[in-house]
Amino acid sequence: MKYRIKKQMTLVMDNAISKFIIFIVGLFLAGSGSLSAMQAATDDPPNILFIAVDDLKPLIGAYGNEQIQTPQMDRLAEEGVTFLNNHTQEAVCGPSRASLLTGLRPDQTKVWRLHVQIREHNPDVVTLPQYFKKQGYITTGVGKVFDRSTVGNGYDRRSWSIPFNSNMPDYPGEYGDPFVHYQSAETKARASHYMEAAAQKGIHKKRKQKSYALDRIKPSTEMLDVSDDAYLDGLHAKRGMALLDELSAEEKPFFLAVGFKKPHLPFIAPKKYWDLYDRENIELSSWQKKSVNGPKIAYHNFGELRSYSDIRPALDDSLHLAESKQKELIHGYMAAVSYIDTQVGKLMDKLEELGLRENTIVVLW
């Protein structure tokens, strides 16, 4: 059985489609039973590689976009099934992920905003990784899968066989740890200055010192000639590949979740990804003003973007963003997408290297 739909966001490799369908039926037959009940339906339960990409628009080749270079995601799409009619449950990160990973609508989870815990109102809810764990799978992950604001620092410990985000690799010594997202020496120096100023003002908690600094130095983009693992998503890919190595030696099937934070703001990526694009060729939206008689409720004050320190100076009195800054932001978004595309490719290549690809269902969302 083979299905092929060309334009794709959520992906399942086509050579595993029939196994996937049988496998899902097996899950329903097994209910809350054991792995042996599933094996009766599937013979060889497939592994699951569950990849989350934060704030990725359907602007990739698999959706017909010819401007942004995403060869790895397009390759995965070419081998898989594409879902074209998808809708987020709520346009806020924590609530939408809480909904997707529990199968419950926001009016059931009661997670309508950030900083509301999923289990505050649903103490016994079974999450997607937890369900696989109950079926005998080894479950683990790295990066942004749940939004931390909805599960706390343990990333919902009961969902994972191996603690989430454990044994993260270090940043390369030549770069050191970033300041929040940033590796720029200038940004880090200025941030350090502001944190010291905060301390002199009697602000002693590091978290609040960082907030004080971010109110004053928080660029919306960064382009440096650095390696992929100078930034967090490069480390997420590295940890994901290490986990694949570990899990390949296990007798049980695995559910591995790898969450990438880009292309969420700020738009940060190594220079080689910026170099893929010519900023002068970037086309801006033809709609630069509010529509005539458009209802006020249709607009917002783009508070998230305006929180970046280089955005405020680029706004005029009517809050119109200078075209040069618009192009810089679009350029940064495109670079960040290509950066993440490469990280996805690394995971797929590792599956191939380990001989796991034929029996692993890959989902990209």
Side-chain angles (χ1 to χ4, degrees), residues 288-290 299-302 306 312 314-322:
Q288 294 285 324
K289 297 180 180 180
K290 293 181 179 180
Y299 302 95
H300 63 80
N301 65 3
F302 57 102
R306 287 174 65 190
R312 301 164 209 157
L315 293 169
D316 63 21
D317 291 341
S318 63
L319 299 184
H320 181 265
L321 191 62

Side-chain angles (χ1 to χ4, degrees), residues 9-11 50-54 97 100-101 145 363-365:
M9 192 62 247
T10 303
L11 309 162
F50 193 71
I51 304 172
V53 184
D54 200 1
R97 288 173 183 246
L100 186 147
L101 289 160
V145 180
V363 179
L364 172 71
W365 58 282

